[in-house]
Amino acid sequence: MTVRPSMSNIPADLRYTNEHEWVKVEGDVVVVGITDHAQDALGDIVFLELPAPGDAIEAGKHFGVVESVKAVSDLFAPITGEVVEANEELVDSPEGINEDAYGAWMLKVKPADAGVIDTLMDAAAYEGFLASEEK
């Protein structure tokens, strides 16, 4: 039996990538994290590597690493921009991602082009994407 993802695990106020990152616009900064689906697939997260403030990230390119008891996975930038803050508390306690994937932000980024956010998937499109991945 295939279980479809629940919209309750896909907040409507966020945008999503096909690499399972989420983004939220907060003023002129974009907050980035991984989805509940991603953290569930990874299992217990034990290590997180993030870029430093001032580093540039490029949409679709590797920006960090998340390691769990099951796997090591690259993190991919949902947008191009400059890192203004990395969540050092999360680096020190990466299990926070498992506790609250949408509260456990990883980066705050000043986007090179804020309009690109509108090209990312909304909650309904991400739910459809997850359903298509399970087939």
Side-chain angles (χ1 to χ4, degrees), residues 11 14 27 42 48-49 53 61 66 70-71 74 81 101 103:
L14 303 177
L42 285 166
L48 179 63
E49 179 182 278
K61 303 288 185 183
V66 63
K70 295 200 285 191
D74 287 334

Side-chain angles (χ1 to χ4, degrees), residues 100-117:
D100 181 7
Y102 298 112
W105 62 274
M106 294 180 176
L107 301 177
K108 292 186 179 181
V109 178
K110 182 175 180 166
D113 176 7
V116 97
I117 305 301

Side-chain angles (χ1 to χ4, degrees), residues 34-36 38-40 42-50 65-69 87-106:
I34 63 169
T35 65
D36 189 56
Q39 72 77 27
D40 186 56
L42 285 166
D44 293 334
I45 296 173
V46 297
F47 177 78
L48 179 63
E49 179 182 278
L50 298 174
V65 173
V66 63
E67 182 176 341
S68 72
V69 295
N87 190 341
E88 291 302 324
E89 288 181 17
L90 197 60
V91 170
D92 293 339
S93 299
E95 65 276 3
I97 299 167
N98 293 117
E99 294 163 9
D100 181 7
Y102 298 112
W105 62 274
M106 294 180 176

Side-chain angles (χ1 to χ4, degrees), residues 14-82:
L14 303 177
R15 292 292 186 143
Y16 302 90
T17 72
N18 60 2
E19 297 291 345
H20 307 289
E21 278 83 23
W22 59 261
V23 301
K24 181 178 184 177
V25 177
E26 289 185 352
D28 63 349
V29 173
V30 175
V31 182
V32 177
I34 63 169
T35 65
D36 189 56
H37 174 81
Q39 72 77 27
D40 186 56
L42 285 166
D44 293 334
I45 296 173
V46 297
F47 177 78
L48 179 63
E49 179 182 278
L50 298 174
D55 286 353
I57 61 172
E58 185 179 339
K61 303 288 185 183
H62 166 266
F63 76 80
V65 173
V66 63
E67 182 176 341
S68 72
V69 295
K70 295 200 285 191
V72 175
S73 296
D74 287 334
L75 298 167
F76 294 92
I79 62 166
T80 297
E82 179 184 336

